[in-house]
């Protein structure tokens, strides 16, 4: 197996090259040119394993030039000791068929930890194989959760520097504090005046600028990415869908006889893409349900076949999904266009130039077979949190609530009530103010006051990493313009 670029499939790379480089020189994203297929026997075997074993079993196929020892070391380093009870992806069952896959029991209380605890290990091994001796510079654009999870994963990793850009008014106070208080000698954090798309576009531009690349090379450095454009972010996410399937298998043959659905609260399309890859390697997924907030560019795309980012951008209470350009959709398009790189180039060029593109009838039909899409606004999100808590005593965050709301829409519209996995992407305590307002009339004007009230009102425990933030010291408060990002990078690296 090799990795190929979505914009030029003659470009080939090993896993280590794909991970070390992050993005292909042509601006395309790396994807595997073939996939393993797991059968019943495989899944039976995988079911017997703990999370570390499951991760090793699945990842072996995608890390084609890693040795077994390297995979073992990476996976153990990532998943032992950093998640509550060493269970990175437990399921809470609500009612009969809603399996809430809680992906937020890691160090930063969001699902990004599942990938970003592992990525630094993968990247270190990859960089060593590909270009020993060079320092790796991780550039991150974040809508809130990636930044913190990447900082936490990469802090004090030898031979790396990490620089994170976040939209100054586009993240929650808790997310902001998490990043600005980050410890570590190799970490840099900078707010930008703009939204997430501005941050992401800026980072992509820096990445693919050959003069910048040369300047780094002259200083014995090279860029890589911790955003979900990096294959090393996606592969670990496939694992938890396989793991969820294995956990559900324990409930008997009958439970999953018609397969199951997966609902994912979606922003950059990384998490739902991983769910698609899980289906592709043999997990019996029926339908992938794409849930969006008021920034519903994906809902419209999946329903109509036209992707159009020329629309109002909303700042919502589920900020990690406030995105109008979903980078990983490019991988899905490549897949559903039958690996037609020319078509992908055309669509991406049209997106860059006019902010939109339309897929043909055939591709649209393939999307229809696989996906269903829905969206909800902030008030429906809050109602969903309140309703779930009243009815089931289950407390979820704003992103998960968007997924739960769309799941309900799906069942009502289609009548399909088969078992469903709902990706729960963040702890409710990361968005304490909004969540509290959904379950109580009480409120504090202080972020940690809201955290305490939420705990009191719902009798749930404050996650330790959130509690620890209250006394954390702010280390970073830089803010720069959209066109000052490059100089911020040079300054952080000391190569002005
Ligand atoms: C990143 C994030 C999302 C969106 O995930 P994508 O992979 O970008 O689609 C949803 N919810 C939370 C809490 C997140 O941090």
């Amino acid at each position: 197996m090799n990795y190929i670029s979505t914009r030029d499939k003659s470009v080939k790379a090993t896993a280590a090259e794909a991970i070390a480089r992050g993005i292909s020189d042509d601006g395309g994203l790396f994807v595997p040119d073939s996939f393993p297929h797991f059968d019943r026997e495989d899944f039976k075997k995988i079911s017997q394993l703990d999370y570390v074993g499951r991760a090793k079993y699945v990842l072996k196929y995608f890390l084609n030039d890693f040795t077994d020892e390297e995979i073992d070391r990476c996976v153990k380093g990532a998943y032992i000791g950093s998640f509550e009870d060493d269970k990175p992806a437990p399921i809470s069952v609500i009612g009969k068929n809603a399996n809430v896959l809680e992906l937020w029991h890691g160090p930063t209380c969001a699902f990004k930890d599942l990938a970003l605890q592992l990525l630094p290990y993968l990247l270190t091994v990859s960089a060593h194989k590909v270009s020993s001796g060079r320092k790796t510079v991780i550039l991150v654009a974040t809508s809130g959760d990636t930044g913190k999870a990447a900082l936490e994963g990469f802090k004090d990793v030898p031979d790396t520097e990490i620089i994170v850009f976040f939209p100054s008014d586009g993240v929650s106070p808790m997310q902001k504090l998490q990043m600005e208080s980050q410890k570590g000698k190799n970490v840099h954090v900078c707010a930008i005046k703009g939204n997430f798309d501005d941050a992401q576009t800026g980072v992509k531009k820096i990445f693919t600028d050959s003069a910048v690349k040369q300047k780094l090379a002259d200083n014995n450095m090279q860029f890589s990415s911790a955003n979900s454009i990096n294959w090393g972010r996606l592969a670990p996410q496939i694992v938890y869908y396989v793991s969820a399937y294995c956990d559900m298998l324990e409930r008997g043959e009958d439970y999953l006889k018609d397969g199951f659905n997966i609902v994912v609260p979606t922003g950059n399309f990384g998490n739902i893409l991983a769910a698609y890859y899980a289906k592709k390697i043999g997990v019996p997924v029926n339908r992938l349900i794409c849930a969006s907030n008021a920034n519903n560019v994906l809902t419209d795309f999946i329903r109509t076949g036209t992707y159009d980012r020329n629309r109002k951008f909303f700042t919502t209470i589920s900020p990690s999904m406030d995105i109008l350009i979903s980078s990983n959709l490019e991988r899905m398009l490549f897949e559903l266009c039958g690996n037609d790189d020319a078509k992908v180039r055309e669509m991406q060029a049209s997106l860059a130039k006019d902010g939109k593109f339309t897929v043909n009838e055939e591709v649209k039909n393939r999307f229809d077979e696989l996906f269903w899409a829905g969206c909800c606004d902030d008030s429906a999100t809050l109602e969903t949190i309140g309703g779930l808590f009243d009815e089931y005593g289950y407390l979820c965050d704003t992103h998960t609530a968007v997924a739960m709301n769309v799941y309900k829409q799906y069942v009502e519209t289609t009548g399909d009530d088969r078992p469903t996995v709902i990706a729960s992407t963040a702890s409710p305590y990361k968005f304490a103010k909004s969540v509290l307002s959904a379950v109580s009339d009480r409120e504090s004007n202080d972020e940690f006051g809201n955290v305490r009230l939420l705990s009191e009102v719902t009798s749930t425990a404050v996650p330790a990493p959130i509690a620890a933030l209250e006394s954390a010291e702010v280390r970073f408060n830089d803010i720069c313009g959209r066109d000052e990002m490059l100089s911020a990078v040079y300054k952080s690296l000391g190569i002005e």
Side-chain angles (χ1 to χ4, degrees), residues 424-459:
S424 175
T425 49
S427 158
Y429 284 92
K430 252 188 134 156
F431 306 93
K433 187 173 178 207
S434 301
V435 174
L436 178 66
S437 76
V439 295
S440 163
D441 292 332
R442 297 170 69 185
E443 75 172 305
S444 160
N445 43 25
D446 167 73
E447 187 67 11
F448 289 95
N450 285 325
V451 166
R452 277 187 291 274
L453 277 175
L454 184 59
S455 176
E456 203 179 301
V457 168
T458 62
S459 306

Side-chain angles (χ1 to χ4, degrees), residues 109-112 143-146 175 228 233-234 237 240 264-273 298 318-321 323 326 328 397-400 423-427 430-431:
C109 305
F111 88 96
K112 308 287 199 296
S143 56
D145 291 326
T146 297
Q175 290 175 319
S228 57
R233 271 282 298 278
L234 281 174
Q237 298 187 285
Y240 51 73
V264 184
T266 296
N268 225 352
F269 212 78
N271 202 6
I272 196 165
L273 179 72
L298 285 166
S318 44
S320 303
M321 295 155 68
I323 293 176
S326 297
N328 269 300
D397 92 294
T398 47
H399 303 76
T400 308
S424 175
T425 49
S427 158
K430 252 188 134 156
F431 306 93

Side-chain angles (χ1 to χ4, degrees), residues 50-84:
D50 61 5
Y51 197 84
V52 164
R54 290 173 181 184
K56 279 162 57 177
Y57 200 105
V58 174
L59 290 173
K60 200 164 89 148
Y61 293 87
F62 292 105
L63 301 172
N64 58 335
D65 56 342
F66 281 50
T67 65
D68 287 349
E69 289 70 35
E70 284 166 343
I71 295 175
D72 183 71
R73 183 156 43 84
C74 290
V75 168
K76 284 183 175 152
Y79 297 122
I80 297 179
S82 27
F83 290 82
E84 227 174 286

